[in-house]
């Protein structure tokens, strides 16, 4: 049975209420699915770093389990409610049912001051950032009450994560792409080119300090730009030990509250790896870039790592350097294979 209530389409199923669509507002659109009532549950912290393309079902179930029957909020700056029923049904199939899945499409910065949006995030038991444009996330949220609400929920111990652009904003350092994307050859030719724009101190996730993240990694040949990112973070004085986490498509790195982490993948994909890179030496030349001793760890499906120190892992280690804008690898391949 369906009925309209105050502008909402409500579907009543076996005595429970499933809200399936909501009215748009000038600064956001709210799409709810599941129970209308708010619940409070005991959550478990974790970070889901997903590399884009098809979502990793195992990673999304992992987040749902940590939400422990609570309300799962999806934030996005484009698209609509594609995650709602997918997540709701995925959790139910795994016997870790969610109270609701609520998508909030942010249309502009005003949404980050709206009391309705803030209350939804403050009461969320999980938050996930969809793909899209990472600059819009930074532009709409940075320095607003919504940023404060998100970091408060992180400190309270809810699971959080993102895919593609939603992954790009998870580290202490963010490649914000304010002027559009940058390619590896451009980053290596000149790490200070106009496309190399950064923000910092956005989300305060555990184990991601001094870290920048990247997605669609091997699929878009982004190792060169990751080296450029690390070099910029060092040259700009943001850190003395720059770290990067780069995730391939249909792949996720799942970080637990104790710092242990493992790789999960969506079945049927290819080149499903995660790369962790660390640099502490200042580049010897800026343009074109020359730098050395970049330590890389490649993790494949099921591999594990201790994120507290990056030393205890089951992955493959190798070293990169750049000479006059050209990458070299101790293995002969910049992707370690």
């Amino acid at each position: 049975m369906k009925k309209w209530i105050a502008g909402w389409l409500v579907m009543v199923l076996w005595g429970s209420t499933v809200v399936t669509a909501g009215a748009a507002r000038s600064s956001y659109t709210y799409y709810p699915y599941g129970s209308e009532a708010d619940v409070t549950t005991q959550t478990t912290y974790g970070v889901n770093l997903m590399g884009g393309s098809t979502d990793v079902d195992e990673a999304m179930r992992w987040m749902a389990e940590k939400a422990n029957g609570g309300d799962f909020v999806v934030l996005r700056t484009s698209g609509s409610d594609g995650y709602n029923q997918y997540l709701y049904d995925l959790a139910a199939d795994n016997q870790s049912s969610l109270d609701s899945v609520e998508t909030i499409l942010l249309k502009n910065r005003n949404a980050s001051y709206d009391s309705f949006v803030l209350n939804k995030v403050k009461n969320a038991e999980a938050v996930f950032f969809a793909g899209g444009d990472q600059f819009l996330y930074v532009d709409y949220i940075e320095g607003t009450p919504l940023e404060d609400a998100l970091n408060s929920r992180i400190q309270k111990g809810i699971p959080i994560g993102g895919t593609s652009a939603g992954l790009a904003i998870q580290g202490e350092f963010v490649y914000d792409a304010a002027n559009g994307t940058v390619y590896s050859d451009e980053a290596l030719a000149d790490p200070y080119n106009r496309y190399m724009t950064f923000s910092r101190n956005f989300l305060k996730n555990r184990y991601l300090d001094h870290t920048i993240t990247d997605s669609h990694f091997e699929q878009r040949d982004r190792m060169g730009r990751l080296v450029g990112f690390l070099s910029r973070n060092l040259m700009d004085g943001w850190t003395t030990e720059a770290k990067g986490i780069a995730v391939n498509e249909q792949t996720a790195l799942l970080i637990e509250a104790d710092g242990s982490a493992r790789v999960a993948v969506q079945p049927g994909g290819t080149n499903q790896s995660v790369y962790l890179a660390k640099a502490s030496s200042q580049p010897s030349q800026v343009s074109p870039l020359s730098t050395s001793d970049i330590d890389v760890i490649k993790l494949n499906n099921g591999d594990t790592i201790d994120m507290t120190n990056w030393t205890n892992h089951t992955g493959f280690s190798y070293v990169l350097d750049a000479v006059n804008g050209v990458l070299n690898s101790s293995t002969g391949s910049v992707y370690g294979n």
Side-chain angles (χ1 to χ4, degrees):
M1 179 176 73
K2 297 180 181 179
K3 58 182 177 178
W4 287 93
I5 299 177
W8 300 91
L9 173 60
V10 178
M11 183 178 293
V12 180
L13 298 174
W14 299 100
S16 64
T17 302
V18 177
V19 184
T20 57
R25 301 290 185 267
S26 61
S27 61
Y28 67 90
T29 300
Y30 172 62
Y31 302 96
Y33 191 91
S35 172
E36 294 179 278
D38 178 58
V39 299
T40 300
T41 66
Q42 184 64 44
T43 61
T44 304
Y45 181 74
V47 186
N48 174 12
L49 303 179
M50 201 152 61
S53 185
T54 304
D55 292 311
V56 180
D57 291 346
E58 181 182 347
M60 303 309 280
R61 281 193 296 264
W62 178 84
M63 285 191 72
E65 289 172 3
K66 291 181 178 300
N68 192 28
D71 299 301
F72 196 122
V73 171
V74 177
L75 296 178
R76 60 191 316 157
T77 58
S78 61
S80 58
D81 62 348
Y83 275 105
N84 284 15
Q85 186 171 358
Y86 159 72
L87 282 171
Y88 194 86
D89 292 348
L90 191 69
D93 290 344
N94 201 45
Q95 298 182 340
S96 55
S97 298
L98 294 165
D99 184 58
S100 70
V101 182
E102 304 167 285
T103 294
I104 303 174
L105 171 64
L106 308 175
K107 298 179 180 179
N108 53 53
R109 191 172 171 86
N110 291 335
S112 296
Y113 293 87
D114 188 279
S115 60
F116 180 86
V117 174
L118 294 175
N119 285 334
K120 286 298 179 184
V121 171
K122 288 176 181 178
N123 292 321
E125 278 72 46
V127 173
F128 184 80
F129 291 85
D133 182 345
Q134 64 252 41
F135 177 68
L136 293 182
Y137 283 128
V138 174
D139 189 40
Y140 292 174
I141 301 174
E142 188 177 34
T144 72
L146 180 54
E147 180 185 26
D148 294 338
L150 288 163
N151 284 317
S152 176
R153 297 309 290 154
I154 289 170
Q155 294 306 309
K156 291 290 186 181
I158 70 165
I160 190 167
T163 187
S164 190
L167 163 63
I169 61 173
Q170 298 297 322
E172 179 183 353
F173 306 148
V174 175
Y175 168 61
D176 58 31
N179 296 325
T181 196
V182 68
Y183 299 100
S184 285
D185 59 346
E186 296 170 330
L188 291 168
D190 180 7
Y192 281 93
N193 75 72
R194 67 180 300 270
Y195 299 107
M196 295 279 279
T197 58
F198 302 90
S199 301
R200 63 188 300 190
N201 299 322
F202 183 30
L203 299 179
K204 295 177 173 58
N205 281 311
R206 303 177 204 173
Y207 312 113
L208 297 183
D209 55 311
H210 311 297
T211 302
I212 195 162
T213 54
D214 206 359
S215 61
H216 302 282
F217 196 59
E218 278 188 76
Q219 288 79 10
R220 300 184 184 178
D221 190 21
R222 287 179 165 174
M223 185 65 83
R225 80 176 200 170
L226 181 63
V227 171
F229 293 169
L230 299 180
S231 298
R232 272 292 302 274
N233 295 160
L234 288 168
M235 289 187 290
D236 290 348
W238 286 8
T239 181
T240 57
E241 185 180 64
K243 297 186 290 184
I245 299 175
V247 187
N248 282 354
E249 294 178 358
Q250 301 183 54
T251 307
L253 182 66
L254 307 179
I255 306 174
E256 302 284 355
D258 64 359
S260 62
R262 63 182 174 88
V263 176
V265 305
Q266 185 68 3
T270 58
N271 294 333
Q272 293 172 293
S273 303
V274 175
Y275 295 85
L276 295 91
K278 185 184 296 185
S280 56
S281 300
Q282 289 282 341
S284 58
Q285 178 176 289
V286 176
S287 180
L289 183 66
S290 291
T291 189
S292 60
D293 299 325
I294 299 167
D295 296 313
V296 182
I297 301 167
K298 180 178 182 177
L299 303 176
N300 292 320
N301 184 28
D303 278 336
T304 60
I305 187 168
D306 180 356
M307 295 298 295
T308 63
N309 54 29
W310 288 26
T311 55
N312 184 16
H313 64 84
T314 61
F316 174 71
S317 298
Y318 62 104
V319 180
L320 291 177
D321 63 28
V323 179
N324 293 323
V326 178
L327 287 183
N328 301 295
S329 169
S330 61
T331 70
S333 168
V334 299
Y335 294 104
N337 47 16

